[in-house]
Amino acid sequence: MTPQLIALISAFLLAMVGMMLHRLHFISILLCIESMMLSLYCMMTTLTFYTHTPTTATMPIMLLTLSACEASTGLALLVATIRTHSSDHMAAMNMLQC
């Protein structure tokens, strides 16, 4: 295992632990998810670089597209929750309420 791959795996795990521990604000959850997606993108890019197969060349581009869609949806949800609840605290939101 290369040191670059170990660093990317540890970055992914650190973002996952950060998401589990820092669930106070909705924006911090979104930032942790974005850092997880960024580390996955870097892992897929290095995989494509090391394997030299043309079939894996489109995977990072698709992941980047899905990551952009996820970011826009997350920001839209953030704006909607701030408008309705007047804060982004996760404790203030009741998920069972319509």
Side-chain angles (χ1 to χ4, degrees):
M1 218 186 255
T2 63
Q4 184 181 13
L5 186 60
I6 293 171
L8 289 173
I9 290 172
S10 64
F12 180 80
L13 292 176
L14 186 66
M16 187 179 292
V17 168
M19 189 176 67
M20 285 188 274
L21 294 179
H22 301 290
R23 291 184 297 182
L24 184 62
H25 296 282
F26 190 58
I27 191 75
S28 65
I29 293 172
L30 288 176
L31 283 173
C32 288
I33 291 173
E34 285 302 314
S35 63
M36 288 169 60
M37 294 298 275
L38 180 64
S39 64
L40 279 175
Y41 174 75
C42 291
M43 277 190 244
M44 283 189 182
T45 306
T46 56
L47 172 77
T48 303
F49 179 71
Y50 285 129
T51 57
H52 299 294
T53 55
T55 56
T56 60
T58 59
M59 286 190 330
I61 297 169
M62 288 189 293
L63 182 72
L64 195 62
T65 304
L66 290 174
S67 168
C69 294
E70 177 263 328
S72 65
T73 305
L75 287 176
L77 283 173
L78 179 69
V79 169
T81 55
I82 287 176
R83 284 185 180 173
T84 58
H85 298 292
S86 71
S87 72
D88 68 334
H89 289 282
M90 294 302 289
M93 290 183 254
N94 188 3
M95 296 296 171
L96 297 176
Q97 226 175 17
C98 292

Coordinates of all heavy atoms in Angstrom, one line a residue:
M1 N 0.8 -1.2 0.0 CA 0.0 0.0 0.0 C 0.9 1.2 0.0 O 1.8 1.4 0.8 CB -0.9 0.0 1.2 CG -2.3 0.5 1.0 SD -3.3 0.6 2.5 CE -4.3 -0.8 2.3
T2 N 0.6 2.2 -0.9 CA 1.4 3.4 -1.0 C 1.0 4.4 0.1 O -0.1 4.3 0.7 CB 1.2 4.0 -2.3 OG1 -0.2 4.4 -2.4 CG2 1.5 3.1 -3.5
P3 N 2.0 5.2 0.5 CA 1.6 6.2 1.5 C 0.5 7.2 1.1 O -0.2 7.7 1.9 CB 3.0 7.0 1.7 CG 4.0 6.1 1.2 CD 3.4 5.2 0.1
Q4 N 0.4 7.4 -0.2 CA -0.7 8.3 -0.7 C -2.0 7.6 -0.5 O -3.0 8.3 0.0 CB -0.5 8.6 -2.2 CG -1.5 9.5 -2.8 CD -1.2 9.7 -4.3 OE1 -0.5 9.0 -4.9 NE2 -1.9 10.7 -4.8
L5 N -2.1 6.3 -0.7 CA -3.4 5.6 -0.5 C -3.7 5.6 1.0 O -4.9 5.8 1.4 CB -3.3 4.2 -1.0 CG -4.6 3.4 -1.0 CD1 -5.7 4.1 -1.8 CD2 -4.4 2.0 -1.5
I6 N -2.7 5.4 1.9 CA -2.9 5.4 3.3 C -3.4 6.8 3.8 O -4.3 6.9 4.6 CB -1.7 5.0 4.1 CG1 -1.4 3.5 3.8 CG2 -1.8 5.2 5.6 CD1 0.0 3.0 4.3
A7 N -2.9 7.8 3.2 CA -3.3 9.2 3.6 C -4.7 9.4 3.1 O -5.5 10.1 3.9 CB -2.4 10.2 3.0
L8 N -5.1 9.0 2.0 CA -6.5 9.2 1.5 C -7.5 8.4 2.3 O -8.6 8.9 2.6 CB -6.6 8.8 0.0 CG -5.9 9.8 -0.9 CD1 -5.9 9.2 -2.4 CD2 -6.5 11.1 -0.9
I9 N -7.1 7.2 2.7 CA -8.0 6.3 3.5 C -8.2 7.0 4.9 O -9.3 7.0 5.4 CB -7.5 4.9 3.6 CG1 -7.7 4.2 2.2 CG2 -8.3 4.1 4.7 CD1 -7.1 2.8 2.1
S10 N -7.1 7.5 5.4 CA -7.2 8.1 6.7 C -8.0 9.4 6.7 O -8.7 9.8 7.6 CB -5.8 8.3 7.3 OG -5.1 9.2 6.5
A11 N -7.9 10.1 5.6 CA -8.7 11.4 5.4 C -10.2 11.0 5.3 O -11.0 11.7 5.9 CB -8.3 12.1 4.1
F12 N -10.5 9.9 4.6 CA -11.9 9.5 4.5 C -12.4 9.1 5.9 O -13.5 9.5 6.3 CB -12.0 8.3 3.6 CG -13.4 7.8 3.4 CD1 -14.4 8.5 2.6 CD2 -13.9 6.7 4.1 CE1 -15.6 8.0 2.5 CE2 -15.1 6.2 4.0 CZ -16.0 6.9 3.2
L13 N -11.6 8.3 6.7 CA -12.1 7.9 8.0 C -12.1 9.1 9.0 O -13.0 9.1 9.8 CB -11.1 6.8 8.5 CG -11.2 5.5 7.8 CD1 -10.1 4.5 8.3 CD2 -12.5 4.9 7.9
L14 N -11.2 10.0 8.8 CA -11.3 11.2 9.7 C -12.6 12.0 9.4 O -13.2 12.5 10.4 CB -10.0 12.0 9.5 CG -9.9 13.2 10.4 CD1 -9.7 12.8 11.8 CD2 -8.7 14.1 9.9
A15 N -12.9 12.1 8.2 CA -14.2 12.9 7.8 C -15.4 12.1 8.3 O -16.4 12.7 8.8 CB -14.3 13.1 6.3
M16 N -15.4 10.8 8.3 CA -16.5 10.0 8.8 C -16.6 10.1 10.3 O -17.7 10.3 10.8 CB -16.3 8.5 8.4 CG -17.5 7.7 8.7 SD -17.4 6.0 8.3 CE -17.4 6.1 6.5
V17 N -15.5 10.1 11.0 CA -15.5 10.3 12.5 C -16.0 11.7 12.8 O -16.7 11.9 13.7 CB -14.1 10.0 13.1 CG1 -14.0 10.4 14.5 CG2 -13.8 8.5 13.0
G18 N -15.5 12.7 12.0 CA -16.0 14.0 12.2 C -17.4 14.2 12.0 O -18.1 15.0 12.8
M19 N -18.0 13.5 11.1 CA -19.4 13.5 10.9 C -20.2 12.9 12.0 O -21.3 13.4 12.4 CB -19.8 12.9 9.5 CG -21.3 13.1 9.2 SD -21.7 12.4 7.6 CE -21.6 10.7 7.8
M20 N -19.7 11.8 12.6 CA -20.3 11.2 13.7 C -20.2 12.0 15.0 O -21.2 12.0 15.8 CB -19.7 9.8 13.9 CG -20.1 8.8 12.9 SD -19.6 7.1 13.3 CE -18.0 7.1 12.6
L21 N -19.1 12.7 15.2 CA -18.9 13.4 16.4 C -19.5 14.8 16.4 O -19.9 15.3 17.5 CB -17.5 13.5 16.8 CG -16.8 12.1 17.1 CD1 -15.3 12.3 17.4 CD2 -17.5 11.4 18.3
H22 N -19.5 15.5 15.3 CA -19.9 16.9 15.2 C -21.2 17.1 14.5 O -21.3 17.6 13.4 CB -18.8 17.8 14.5 CG -17.5 17.7 15.2 ND1 -17.2 18.3 16.4 CD2 -16.3 17.1 14.8 CE1 -16.0 18.1 16.8 NE2 -15.4 17.3 15.8
R23 N -22.2 16.6 15.1 CA -23.6 16.7 14.5 C -24.4 17.8 15.1 O -25.6 17.8 15.2 CB -24.3 15.4 14.7 CG -23.7 14.2 13.9 CD -24.5 13.0 14.1 NE -24.5 12.6 15.5 CZ -25.1 11.5 16.0 NH1 -25.8 10.8 15.2 NH2 -25.0 11.2 17.3
L24 N -23.7 18.9 15.6 CA -24.5 20.0 16.2 C -25.1 20.9 15.1 O -26.3 21.2 15.2 CB -23.5 20.8 17.1 CG -24.2 21.9 17.9 CD1 -25.2 21.4 18.8 CD2 -23.1 22.7 18.6
H25 N -24.4 21.2 14.1 CA -24.9 22.1 13.0 C -25.0 21.3 11.7 O -24.2 20.4 11.4 CB -23.9 23.3 12.8 CG -23.8 24.2 14.0 ND1 -24.8 25.1 14.3 CD2 -22.9 24.3 14.9 CE1 -24.5 25.7 15.4 NE2 -23.3 25.3 15.8
F26 N -26.0 21.7 10.9 CA -26.2 21.0 9.6 C -25.1 21.3 8.7 O -24.7 20.5 7.9 CB -27.5 21.5 9.1 CG -28.0 20.7 7.9 CD1 -28.2 19.4 8.0 CD2 -28.3 21.4 6.7 CE1 -28.6 18.6 6.9 CE2 -28.7 20.7 5.6 CZ -28.9 19.3 5.7
I27 N -24.5 22.5 8.8 CA -23.4 22.9 7.8 C -22.2 22.1 8.1 O -21.4 21.7 7.2 CB -23.1 24.4 7.9 CG1 -22.2 24.8 6.8 CG2 -22.5 24.8 9.2 CD1 -22.8 24.9 5.5
S28 N -21.9 21.7 9.4 CA -20.7 20.9 9.6 C -20.9 19.4 9.1 O -19.9 18.8 8.7 CB -20.4 20.8 11.1 OG -21.5 20.2 11.8
I29 N -22.1 19.0 9.1 CA -22.4 17.6 8.5 C -22.2 17.7 7.0 O -21.6 16.8 6.4 CB -23.8 17.2 8.9 CG1 -24.0 17.0 10.4 CG2 -24.2 16.0 8.1 CD1 -25.4 16.7 10.8
L30 N -22.6 18.8 6.4 CA -22.4 18.9 4.9 C -20.9 19.0 4.6 O -20.5 18.4 3.6 CB -23.2 20.1 4.4 CG -24.7 20.0 4.3 CD1 -25.3 21.3 3.9 CD2 -25.1 18.9 3.4
L31 N -20.2 19.7 5.4 CA -18.7 19.8 5.1 C -18.0 18.5 5.3 O -17.1 18.2 4.5 CB -18.1 20.9 6.1 CG -18.4 22.3 5.7 CD1 -17.9 23.2 6.8 CD2 -17.7 22.6 4.4
C32 N -18.4 17.7 6.3 CA -17.8 16.4 6.4 C -18.2 15.4 5.3 O -17.3 14.7 4.8 CB -18.3 15.7 7.8 SG -17.6 16.5 9.2
I33 N -19.4 15.5 4.8 CA -19.8 14.7 3.6 C -19.0 15.1 2.4 O -18.6 14.3 1.6 CB -21.3 14.8 3.4 CG1 -22.1 14.1 4.5 CG2 -21.7 14.2 2.1 CD1 -23.6 14.3 4.5
E34 N -18.8 16.4 2.2 CA -18.0 16.9 1.1 C -16.6 16.5 1.2 O -16.0 16.2 0.1 CB -18.1 18.4 1.0 CG -19.4 18.9 0.4 CD -19.7 18.4 -0.9 OE1 -18.9 18.4 -1.8 OE2 -20.9 17.9 -1.1
S35 N -16.0 16.5 2.4 CA -14.6 16.0 2.5 C -14.5 14.5 2.2 O -13.5 14.0 1.7 CB -14.0 16.4 3.8 OG -14.7 15.7 4.9
M36 N -15.5 13.8 2.6 CA -15.6 12.3 2.3 C -15.6 12.1 0.8 O -14.9 11.3 0.2 CB -16.8 11.6 2.9 CG -16.6 11.5 4.4 SD -18.1 11.0 5.2 CE -18.5 9.4 4.5
M37 N -16.4 12.9 0.1 CA -16.5 12.8 -1.4 C -15.2 13.2 -2.1 O -14.8 12.6 -3.0 CB -17.7 13.6 -1.9 CG -19.0 13.2 -1.4 SD -19.4 11.5 -2.0 CE -20.1 11.9 -3.6
L38 N -14.6 14.2 -1.5 CA -13.3 14.6 -2.1 C -12.2 13.6 -1.9 O -11.4 13.3 -2.9 CB -12.8 15.9 -1.4 CG -11.5 16.5 -1.9 CD1 -11.6 16.9 -3.4 CD2 -11.1 17.7 -1.1
S39 N -12.2 12.9 -0.8 CA -11.2 11.9 -0.6 C -11.5 10.6 -1.5 O -10.6 10.0 -2.0 CB -11.1 11.4 0.9 OG -12.3 10.9 1.3
L40 N -12.8 10.4 -1.7 CA -13.2 9.3 -2.6 C -12.8 9.6 -4.0 O -12.3 8.7 -4.8 CB -14.7 9.0 -2.5 CG -15.2 8.1 -1.4 CD1 -16.7 8.1 -1.4 CD2 -14.6 6.8 -1.5
Y41 N -13.0 10.9 -4.4 CA -12.6 11.3 -5.8 C -11.1 11.1 -6.0 O -10.6 10.7 -7.0 CB -13.0 12.8 -6.0 CG -12.5 13.3 -7.3 CD1 -13.1 13.0 -8.5 CD2 -11.4 14.2 -7.3 CE1 -12.6 13.5 -9.7 CE2 -11.0 14.7 -8.5 CZ -11.6 14.4 -9.7 OH -11.1 14.9 -10.9
C42 N -10.3 11.5 -5.0 CA -8.8 11.4 -5.1 C -8.4 9.9 -5.1 O -7.5 9.5 -5.9 CB -8.1 12.1 -3.9 SG -8.3 13.9 -4.0
M43 N -9.1 9.1 -4.4 CA -8.8 7.6 -4.4 C -9.1 7.0 -5.8 O -8.3 6.2 -6.3 CB -9.6 6.9 -3.3 CG -9.0 6.9 -2.0 SD -9.9 5.8 -0.9 CE -10.6 6.9 0.3
M44 N -10.3 7.4 -6.4 CA -10.6 6.9 -7.7 C -9.7 7.4 -8.8 O -9.3 6.7 -9.7 CB -12.0 7.3 -8.0 CG -13.1 6.5 -7.4 SD -14.7 6.8 -8.1 CE -15.7 5.8 -7.1
T45 N -9.2 8.6 -8.6 CA -8.2 9.2 -9.6 C -6.9 8.5 -9.5 O -6.3 8.2 -10.5 CB -8.1 10.7 -9.3 OG1 -9.3 11.3 -9.3 CG2 -7.2 11.3 -10.4
T46 N -6.4 8.2 -8.3 CA -5.2 7.4 -8.2 C -5.3 6.0 -8.6 O -4.4 5.4 -9.2 CB -4.7 7.5 -6.7 OG1 -5.7 7.0 -5.9 CG2 -4.2 8.9 -6.3
L47 N -6.5 5.4 -8.4 CA -6.8 4.1 -8.9 C -6.7 4.0 -10.5 O -6.1 3.1 -11.0 CB -8.2 3.6 -8.5 CG -8.6 2.3 -9.1 CD1 -7.9 1.1 -8.4 CD2 -10.1 2.1 -8.9
T48 N -7.3 5.0 -11.1 CA -7.2 5.1 -12.6 C -5.8 5.3 -13.0 O -5.4 4.8 -14.1 CB -8.1 6.3 -13.0 OG1 -9.5 6.1 -12.6 CG2 -8.2 6.4 -14.5
F49 N -5.1 6.1 -12.3 CA -3.7 6.4 -12.7 C -2.8 5.1 -12.6 O -2.0 4.9 -13.4 CB -3.1 7.5 -11.8 CG -1.7 7.9 -12.1 CD1 -1.4 8.5 -13.3 CD2 -0.7 7.5 -11.3 CE1 0.0 8.8 -13.6 CE2 0.6 7.8 -11.5 CZ 1.0 8.5 -12.7
Y50 N -3.0 4.4 -11.5 CA -2.2 3.2 -11.3 C -2.6 2.0 -12.2 O -1.7 1.2 -12.5 CB -2.1 2.8 -9.9 CG -1.3 3.7 -9.0 CD1 -1.8 4.3 -7.9 CD2 0.0 4.1 -9.4 CE1 -1.1 5.2 -7.1 CE2 0.8 4.9 -8.6 CZ 0.2 5.5 -7.5 OH 1.0 6.3 -6.7
T51 N -3.9 1.8 -12.5 CA -4.3 0.6 -13.2 C -4.2 0.8 -14.7 O -4.1 -0.2 -15.4 CB -5.7 0.3 -12.8 OG1 -6.6 1.4 -13.1 CG2 -5.8 -0.2 -11.4
H52 N -4.3 2.0 -15.2 CA -4.2 2.3 -16.7 C -5.3 1.6 -17.5 O -5.0 1.1 -18.6 CB -2.8 1.9 -17.2 CG -1.7 2.7 -16.6 ND1 -1.5 4.0 -16.8 CD2 -0.7 2.2 -15.8 CE1 -0.4 4.4 -16.1 NE2 0.1 3.3 -15.5
T53 N -6.4 1.4 -16.9 CA -7.5 0.8 -17.7 C -8.5 1.9 -18.1 O -8.8 2.8 -17.3 CB -8.3 -0.2 -16.8 OG1 -8.7 0.4 -15.6 CG2 -7.4 -1.4 -16.5
P54 N -9.0 1.9 -19.3 CA -9.9 2.9 -19.8 C -11.3 2.9 -19.2 O -12.0 3.8 -19.3 CB -9.9 2.7 -21.3 CG -9.5 1.3 -21.5 CD -8.6 1.0 -20.4
T55 N -11.7 1.7 -18.7 CA -13.0 1.6 -18.2 C -13.2 2.3 -16.8 O -14.3 2.7 -16.5 CB -13.4 0.1 -18.0 OG1 -12.4 -0.5 -17.1 CG2 -13.4 -0.6 -19.3
T56 N -12.1 2.5 -16.1 CA -12.2 3.2 -14.8 C -12.0 4.7 -15.0 O -12.0 5.4 -14.0 CB -11.2 2.6 -13.8 OG1 -9.9 2.8 -14.3 CG2 -11.5 1.2 -13.5
A57 N -11.8 5.2 -16.2 CA -11.5 6.6 -16.4 C -12.7 7.5 -16.2 O -12.6 8.6 -15.8 CB -10.9 6.8 -17.7
T58 N -13.9 6.9 -16.3 CA -15.1 7.8 -16.2 C -15.6 7.8 -14.8 O -16.5 8.6 -14.5 CB -16.2 7.2 -17.1 OG1 -16.5 5.9 -16.8 CG2 -15.8 7.4 -18.6
M59 N -15.2 6.9 -13.9 CA -15.7 6.8 -12.6 C -15.4 8.1 -11.8 O -16.4 8.6 -11.1 CB -15.1 5.6 -11.8 CG -15.6 4.3 -12.2 SD -15.2 2.9 -11.2 CE -13.6 3.2 -10.6
P60 N -14.2 8.7 -11.8 CA -14.1 10.0 -11.0 C -15.0 11.1 -11.6 O -15.5 11.9 -10.8 CB -12.6 10.3 -11.2 CG -11.9 9.1 -11.6 CD -13.0 8.3 -12.3
I61 N -15.2 11.1 -12.9 CA -16.1 12.2 -13.4 C -17.5 12.0 -13.0 O -18.2 13.0 -12.6 CB -15.9 12.2 -15.0 CG1 -14.5 12.6 -15.4 CG2 -16.9 13.2 -15.6 CD1 -14.2 12.3 -16.8
M62 N -18.0 10.8 -12.9 CA -19.3 10.5 -12.5 C -19.5 10.8 -11.0 O -20.5 11.4 -10.6 CB -19.7 9.1 -12.7 CG -20.0 8.8 -14.2 SD -20.7 7.2 -14.5 CE -19.4 6.1 -14.1
L63 N -18.5 10.5 -10.2 CA -18.5 10.8 -8.8 C -18.5 12.3 -8.5 O -19.2 12.8 -7.7 CB -17.3 10.2 -8.0 CG -17.3 10.4 -6.5 CD1 -18.4 9.5 -5.9 CD2 -16.0 10.0 -6.0
L64 N -17.7 13.0 -9.3 CA -17.7 14.5 -9.2 C -19.0 15.1 -9.6 O -19.5 16.1 -8.9 CB -16.6 15.0 -10.1 CG -16.1 16.5 -9.9 CD1 -15.6 16.6 -8.5 CD2 -15.1 16.9 -10.9
T65 N -19.7 14.5 -10.5 CA -21.0 15.0 -10.9 C -22.0 14.8 -9.8 O -22.8 15.6 -9.4 CB -21.5 14.3 -12.2 OG1 -20.5 14.6 -13.2 CG2 -22.8 14.8 -12.7
L66 N -22.0 13.6 -9.2 CA -22.9 13.2 -8.1 C -22.6 14.1 -6.9 O -23.5 14.5 -6.2 CB -22.8 11.7 -7.8 CG -23.4 10.8 -8.9 CD1 -23.2 9.4 -8.5 CD2 -24.9 11.1 -9.0
S67 N -21.3 14.4 -6.7 CA -20.9 15.2 -5.6 C -21.5 16.6 -5.7 O -21.9 17.2 -4.7 CB -19.4 15.2 -5.5 OG -19.0 16.2 -4.6
A68 N -21.4 17.1 -6.9 CA -22.0 18.5 -7.2 C -23.5 18.5 -6.9 O -24.0 19.5 -6.4 CB -21.6 19.0 -8.6
C69 N -24.2 17.5 -7.4 CA -25.6 17.4 -7.1 C -25.9 17.3 -5.7 O -26.9 17.9 -5.2 CB -26.2 16.2 -7.9 SG -26.2 16.3 -9.7
E70 N -25.1 16.5 -5.0 CA -25.3 16.4 -3.5 C -25.1 17.7 -2.8 O -25.8 18.0 -1.8 CB -24.4 15.3 -3.0 CG -24.4 15.0 -1.5 CD -23.3 15.8 -0.8 OE1 -22.2 15.9 -1.4 OE2 -23.6 16.2 0.3
A71 N -24.1 18.4 -3.2 CA -23.8 19.7 -2.6 C -24.9 20.7 -2.8 O -25.3 21.4 -1.9 CB -22.5 20.2 -3.1
S72 N -25.4 20.8 -4.0 CA -26.5 21.7 -4.3 C -27.8 21.3 -3.5 O -28.5 22.2 -3.0 CB -26.8 21.8 -5.8 OG -27.3 20.6 -6.3
T73 N -28.1 20.0 -3.4 CA -29.2 19.6 -2.7 C -29.1 19.9 -1.2 O -30.0 20.3 -0.5 CB -29.5 18.1 -2.9 OG1 -29.6 17.8 -4.3 CG2 -30.7 17.6 -2.1
G74 N -27.9 19.7 -0.7 CA -27.6 20.0 0.7 C -27.7 21.4 1.1 O -28.3 21.8 2.1
L75 N -27.2 22.3 0.2 CA -27.3 23.7 0.4 C -28.8 24.2 0.3 O -29.2 25.1 1.1 CB -26.4 24.5 -0.5 CG -24.9 24.4 -0.3 CD1 -24.2 25.1 -1.3 CD2 -24.6 24.9 1.1
A76 N -29.5 23.6 -0.6 CA -31.0 23.9 -0.7 C -31.7 23.5 0.6 O -32.5 24.3 1.1 CB -31.6 23.3 -1.9
L77 N -31.4 22.4 1.1 CA -32.0 21.9 2.4 C -31.5 22.8 3.6 O -32.3 23.1 4.5 CB -31.6 20.5 2.7 CG -32.3 19.4 1.9 CD1 -31.7 18.0 2.2 CD2 -33.8 19.4 2.3
L78 N -30.3 23.3 3.5 CA -29.8 24.2 4.6 C -30.5 25.5 4.6 O -31.0 26.0 5.6 CB -28.3 24.4 4.4 CG -27.6 25.3 5.4 CD1 -27.6 24.7 6.8 CD2 -26.3 25.7 4.9
V79 N -30.8 26.0 3.4 CA -31.5 27.3 3.3 C -32.9 27.1 3.7 O -33.5 27.9 4.5 CB -31.4 27.8 1.9 CG1 -32.4 29.0 1.6 CG2 -30.0 28.3 1.5
A80 N -33.5 26.0 3.4 CA -34.9 25.7 3.7 C -35.1 25.5 5.2 O -36.0 26.0 5.8 CB -35.5 24.5 3.0
T81 N -34.1 24.8 5.9 CA -34.2 24.6 7.3 C -33.9 25.9 8.1 O -34.5 26.1 9.1 CB -33.3 23.5 7.8 OG1 -31.9 23.8 7.4 CG2 -33.7 22.2 7.3
I82 N -33.1 26.7 7.6 CA -32.8 28.0 8.3 C -34.0 28.9 8.1 O -34.4 29.6 9.1 CB -31.5 28.7 7.7 CG1 -30.3 27.9 8.2 CG2 -31.5 30.1 8.1 CD1 -29.0 28.4 7.7
R83 N -34.7 28.9 7.0 CA -35.9 29.7 6.8 C -37.1 29.2 7.7 O -37.8 30.0 8.3 CB -36.4 29.7 5.4 CG -35.5 30.6 4.5 CD -36.1 30.7 3.1 NE -35.2 31.6 2.3 CZ -35.4 31.7 1.0 NH1 -36.3 31.1 0.4 NH2 -34.6 32.5 0.4
T84 N -37.2 27.9 7.9 CA -38.3 27.4 8.6 C -38.1 27.4 10.1 O -38.9 27.7 11.0 CB -38.8 26.0 8.2 OG1 -37.6 25.1 8.3 CG2 -39.3 26.1 6.8
H85 N -36.8 27.0 10.5 CA -36.5 26.8 11.9 C -35.7 28.0 12.5 O -35.3 28.0 13.7 CB -35.8 25.5 12.2 CG -36.6 24.3 11.8 ND1 -37.7 23.9 12.5 CD2 -36.4 23.4 10.8 CE1 -38.2 22.8 12.0 NE2 -37.4 22.5 10.9
S86 N -35.2 28.9 11.7 CA -34.4 30.0 12.0 C -33.0 29.7 12.6 O -32.4 30.5 13.3 CB -35.1 31.0 12.9 OG -35.3 30.5 14.2
S87 N -32.6 28.4 12.4 CA -31.2 28.0 12.8 C -30.9 26.7 12.1 O -31.7 26.1 11.6 CB -31.1 27.8 14.4 OG -31.8 26.7 14.7
D88 N -29.6 26.4 12.2 CA -29.2 25.1 11.6 C -28.8 24.1 12.6 O -28.1 23.1 12.3 CB -28.0 25.3 10.6 CG -26.8 25.7 11.2 OD1 -26.8 26.3 12.3 OD2 -25.7 25.5 10.7
H89 N -29.2 24.3 13.8 CA -29.0 23.3 14.9 C -29.8 22.0 14.6 O -31.0 22.1 14.4 CB -29.3 23.8 16.3 CG -28.4 24.9 16.7 ND1 -27.1 24.6 17.3 CD2 -28.5 26.2 16.8 CE1 -26.5 25.7 17.6 NE2 -27.3 26.7 17.3
M90 N -29.2 20.9 14.7 CA -29.9 19.7 14.4 C -30.8 19.3 15.6 O -31.8 18.6 15.4 CB -28.9 18.5 14.2 CG -28.0 18.7 12.9 SD -29.0 18.8 11.4 CE -29.6 17.2 11.3
A91 N -30.5 19.7 16.8 CA -31.4 19.4 17.9 C -32.7 20.2 17.8 O -33.7 19.7 18.4 CB -30.7 19.8 19.2
A92 N -32.7 21.3 17.1 CA -34.0 22.1 17.0 C -35.0 21.5 16.0 O -36.1 21.8 16.0 CB -33.6 23.5 16.6
M93 N -34.5 20.6 15.2 CA -35.4 20.0 14.2 C -35.9 18.7 14.6 O -35.2 17.8 15.2 CB -34.6 19.8 12.9 CG -34.2 21.0 12.2 SD -33.4 20.7 10.7 CE -31.7 21.1 11.2
N94 N -37.2 18.5 14.4 CA -37.9 17.2 14.6 C -38.1 16.6 13.3 O -38.9 17.1 12.5 CB -39.2 17.4 15.4 CG -39.8 16.1 15.8 OD1 -39.2 15.1 15.6 ND2 -41.0 16.2 16.4
M95 N -37.5 15.5 13.0 CA -37.5 14.9 11.7 C -38.9 14.2 11.4 O -39.2 13.9 10.3 CB -36.4 13.9 11.5 CG -35.1 14.4 11.5 SD -34.8 15.6 10.2 CE -33.3 16.3 10.6
L96 N -39.7 13.9 12.5 CA -40.9 13.2 12.3 C -42.1 14.2 12.0 O -43.2 13.8 11.6 CB -41.3 12.4 13.5 CG -40.3 11.3 13.9 CD1 -40.7 10.7 15.2 CD2 -40.2 10.3 12.8
Q97 N -41.8 15.5 12.0 CA -42.8 16.5 11.8 C -42.9 16.8 10.3 O -41.9 16.8 9.6 CB -42.5 17.8 12.5 CG -43.6 18.4 13.2 CD -43.1 19.6 14.0 OE1 -42.0 20.1 13.8 NE2 -43.9 20.0 15.0
C98 N -44.1 17.0 9.8 CA -44.2 17.3 8.3 C -44.2 18.8 8.2 O -44.7 19.6 8.9 CB -45.5 16.8 7.8 SG -45.5 15.0 7.7

